[in-house]
């Protein structure tokens, strides 16, 4: 049985008046993340973790921000496309662990919804997707609510 581990990290700037998408959910907030796509920091970290596990490069290689077709794209589509690559390589996901780092808003009320969205795309159960959240206790750019960070780890198993 062959197992592969992967990790990913992503950062996005926060700006007034943008929509905030995290984990495939639109979270009501006065600030949103800035990016070429919908700037979903958690789904991007997850894509990088999946690609990293199989040494397939990173999200910037597969979905470059110079490509107009990815402008404002729903990151759930990027995760779906990444999952298709993993399946093509003959792997399935064992589990996902992730952390979000942001000062506001509180993420806990949305975690279950995020797990359901991600579980649907990755074809695993919500129990196999851990989403944790922390602040930086008001330190640094995260503490000043200038940006958001996500980190994700995945374990893949080769299918028989
Ligand atoms: Zn990103």
């Amino acid at each position: 049985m062959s197992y592969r581990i992967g990790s990913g990290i992503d950062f996005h700037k926060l700006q007034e008046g943008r929509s905030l998408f995290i984990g495939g959910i639109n979270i009501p907030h006065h600030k949103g993340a800035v990016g070429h796509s919908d700037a979903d920091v958690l789904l991007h970290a997850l894509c990088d973790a999946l690609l990293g596990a199989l040494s397939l490069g990173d999200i910037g290689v597969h979905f470059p921000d110079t490509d107009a077709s990815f402008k404002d794209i729903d990151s759930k589509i990027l995760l779906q496309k990444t999952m298709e690559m993993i399946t093509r390589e003959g792997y399935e996901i064992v589990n996902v662990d992730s952390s979000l780092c942001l000062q506001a808003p509180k993420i806990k009320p949305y975690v279950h919804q995020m797990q359901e969205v991600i579980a649907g795309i990755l074809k695993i159960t919500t129990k196999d997707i851990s989403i944790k959240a922390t602040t930086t206790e008001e330190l640094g750019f995260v503490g000043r609510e200038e940006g958001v960070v996500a980190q994700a780890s995945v374990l893949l198993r080769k299918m028989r």
Side-chain angles (χ1 to χ4, degrees):
M1 190 80 76
S2 171
Y3 287 90
R4 307 278 299 199
I5 194 166
S7 72
I9 189 164
D10 194 35
F11 301 78
H12 280 277
K13 211 184 283 182
L14 290 171
Q15 207 171 70
E16 289 284 346
R18 295 267 311 186
S19 298
L20 181 62
F21 290 96
I22 301 180
I25 306 295
N26 188 354
I27 296 174
H29 193 50
H30 64 102
K31 283 183 173 181
V34 182
H36 186 67
S37 64
D38 66 4
D40 191 319
V41 72
L42 179 57
L43 297 194
H44 292 181
L46 201 42
C47 285
D48 262 358
L50 289 166
L51 293 169
L54 296 181
S55 300
L56 294 173
D58 62 31
I59 194 168
V61 169
H62 296 279
F63 313 111
D65 61 9
T66 49
D67 186 333
S69 64
F70 300 124
K71 178 96 182 88
D72 297 324
I73 196 170
D74 182 339
S75 294
K76 292 195 284 293
I77 296 168
L78 304 184
L79 185 61
Q80 178 67 51
K81 286 177 183 289
T82 303
M83 186 59 204
E84 285 163 14
M85 288 181 230
I86 300 305
T87 307
R88 249 192 328 263
E89 295 285 327
Y91 282 82
E92 61 184 2
I93 299 170
V94 178
N95 73 306
V96 170
D97 185 22
S98 65
S99 297
L100 282 162
C101 191
L102 74 172
Q103 197 62 41
K106 288 274 172 250
I107 290 303
K108 209 172 172 193
Y110 306 102
V111 165
H112 189 67
Q113 229 183 315
M114 291 178 189
Q115 286 172 310
E116 290 199 324
V117 168
I118 295 168
I121 299 169
L122 301 187
K123 299 179 184 78
I124 49 179
T125 70
T126 54
K127 281 192 169 179
D128 297 321
I129 301 165
S130 156
I131 303 170
K132 312 183 298 297
T134 183
T135 68
T136 57
E137 304 208 325
E138 297 174 359
L139 291 167
F141 70 90
V142 169
R144 292 189 297 271
E145 299 182 40
E146 293 168 0
V148 56
V149 184
Q151 181 279 332
S153 304
V154 299
L155 186 65
L156 304 185
R157 175 172 50 211
K158 184 99 178 172
M159 291 182 283
R160 289 281 157 186

